[in-house]
Amino acid sequence: MSGKAEKVAELRRERSLGGSSRLKKIEQQASAPPPPVPSLAASDGHGQIRVFIGDMQRYQSVTVTPGMTASNLISFLESQGVFKGWVGLGQWVLFEQAQDLGMERPIRPFEILKPAGVGGFLVRMHDTFGLLLSSGRVPEASPVLKGWVEWELKKGKWNKKWLELREHGLWIAKKDGQAASELLCSLTSFDVYTPTQKAPKPYIFALKSVDPVTYFEDKNDYMHTFCCKDEEGEAWVESILLARSYILHQERHILNSGQNELKRRPTTATTRPNKKLVADSSHSNRVFASGSLLRNAGAELLRLRDDRSINKLHA
């Protein structure tokens, strides 16, 4: 093989190796996992969150201060002209978005804002929740409700169960024909969400803990999903929302009362008259009402004591 032919063959080998390496690099890039989607609640800075307005297309950065409520947040957005040009029915309601679970819940106007985790916050108009969750709709007593529902025991596996809302919690019957004696969850730490998953019945709702899933040894206790007919489902969601509102309202009332009691009251110096620590025995019988058995018994004891004193003097 001539020198020229050798150079041509070597050049072809380099091109062949270069092409295979480039192809390998392309294959590696294609098989690499996609970059993670940023959380909608990602912080833009210290104390700031992103709140989506109306849909997931645009958001507003808001600085969350300690004690800030959902009502405070909506008032701030309104003062910034964020809602200008929006037309719809109902009132502006703040929703917590749980994107990882495919569900959301309305946040009460008087609720103090907390980190929303994966999903963040969304503000949109709603013709029902705006009135239902207002402070004026907090019931004087926790609602009660009971009925048949489909309970998702495992993913995609539903069983018909008897469910009761009472005593600030959800109770379920272990077996058919039995009373609902098993406490499924307490509304002191659970709230109602509306998922988007498919179910045997048209209306689906879920009870999810407001605490992180890491608090639970058994992950199945973190969330409970139910489905039923439309009218029944609306009644369940409304009753559970009001029952949770009642608890939050009571907790806030107790907290405020406790803070007021902890405030130090001013002290004033007072002059008290000197009193004998031991009363005169000759008048000890006067503390009892005239004619009472205790007064008669006291008089008898005094008489016996005087008789003994006289006997000692004569002895």
Side-chain angles (χ1 to χ4, degrees):
M1 182 180 295
S2 64
K4 185 177 180 180
E6 290 179 356
K7 289 183 178 180
V8 171
E10 184 178 355
L11 183 60
R12 287 177 176 175
R13 285 196 300 271
E14 290 178 357
R15 288 179 177 177
S16 176
L17 292 173
S20 62
S21 63
R22 286 195 298 272
L23 179 61
K24 185 177 181 181
K25 185 176 181 180
I26 293 173
E27 290 176 349
Q28 290 176 348
Q29 292 177 349
S31 60
V37 179
S39 169
L40 300 182
S43 175
D44 294 331
H46 180 69
Q48 287 191 337
I49 60 172
R50 287 180 285 183
V51 182
F52 283 75
I53 313 299
D55 49 33
M56 296 296 183
Q57 301 303 316
R58 66 188 185 98
Y59 66 87
Q60 180 79 13
S61 295
V62 179
T63 300
V64 178
T65 57
M68 190 176 189
T69 64
S71 178
N72 298 146
L73 175 60
I74 293 177
S75 297
F76 170 77
L77 294 175
E78 189 173 9
S79 67
Q80 299 298 309
V82 174
F83 303 142
K84 188 176 181 179
W86 285 88
V87 179
L89 298 175
Q91 302 178 9
W92 288 103
V93 179
L94 184 65
F95 287 82
E96 175 195 340
Q97 299 287 309
Q99 278 191 327
D100 53 339
L101 300 173
M103 60 178 60
E104 66 178 16
R105 77 170 181 94
I107 301 178
R108 297 159 185 83
F110 53 86
E111 279 190 63
I112 297 176
L113 297 181
K114 298 179 180 179
V118 180
F121 299 102
L122 169 69
V123 177
R124 70 167 183 266
M125 300 195 78
H126 202 283
D127 58 349
T128 302
F129 290 144
L131 296 174
L132 180 65
L133 298 179
S134 64
S135 299
R137 289 294 304 274
V138 176
E140 296 182 357
S142 185
V144 294
L145 188 65
K146 55 186 176 181
W148 291 101
V149 295
E150 295 285 338
W151 180 30
E152 189 178 29
L153 294 176
K154 296 181 181 179
K155 189 66 175 179
K157 183 180 180 181
W158 301 80
N159 281 2
K160 188 176 181 179
K161 290 289 184 179
W162 180 257
L163 185 68
E164 292 185 7
L165 169 64
R166 56 181 170 86
E167 301 171 12
H168 314 305
L170 281 178
W171 301 73
I172 200 164
K174 294 182 179 179
K175 297 181 180 179
D176 293 343
Q178 292 184 354
S181 58
E182 180 180 356
L183 178 62
L184 199 61
C185 61
S186 172
L187 295 182
T188 56
S189 57
F190 277 73
D191 213 333
V192 64
Y193 290 72
T194 52
T196 57
Q197 70 183 83
K198 294 182 179 180
K201 297 294 178 65
Y203 200 101
I204 181 171
F205 64 97
L207 273 294
K208 186 181 78 67
S209 173
V210 296
D211 297 321
V213 67
T214 53
Y215 283 27
F216 296 83
E217 294 183 2
D218 187 352
K219 307 305 179 185
N220 294 325
D221 295 333
Y222 176 65
M223 184 177 66
H224 308 282
T225 307
F226 308 92
C227 68
C228 53
K229 297 179 181 179
D230 285 327
E231 293 183 1
E232 297 171 352
E234 292 175 359
W236 277 109
V237 170
E238 178 178 345
S239 299
I240 295 172
L241 283 173
L242 290 176
R244 170 81 173 155
S245 295
Y246 175 82
I247 293 174
L248 293 176
H249 181 75
Q250 293 296 320
E251 289 178 350
R252 186 177 62 172
H253 175 71
I254 293 173
L255 179 62
N256 293 338
S257 300
Q259 291 175 347
N260 293 334
E261 291 179 0
L262 289 175
K263 294 180 180 179
R264 183 174 180 178
R265 297 180 179 179
T267 57
T268 56
T270 58
T271 303
R272 297 181 180 180
N274 294 327
K275 294 183 178 180
K276 296 180 180 180
L277 297 179
V278 180
D280 189 354
S281 60
S282 62
H283 303 286
S284 61
N285 195 38
R286 296 179 182 178
V287 298
F288 304 115
S290 177
S292 66
L293 295 176
L294 291 176
R295 181 162 184 172
N296 295 336
E300 182 65 20
L301 289 174
L302 290 175
R303 187 184 62 79
L304 292 175
R305 186 193 64 181
D306 294 340
D307 291 345
R308 289 176 181 175
S309 300
I310 293 173
N311 292 335
K312 287 181 179 180
L313 290 175
H314 291 290

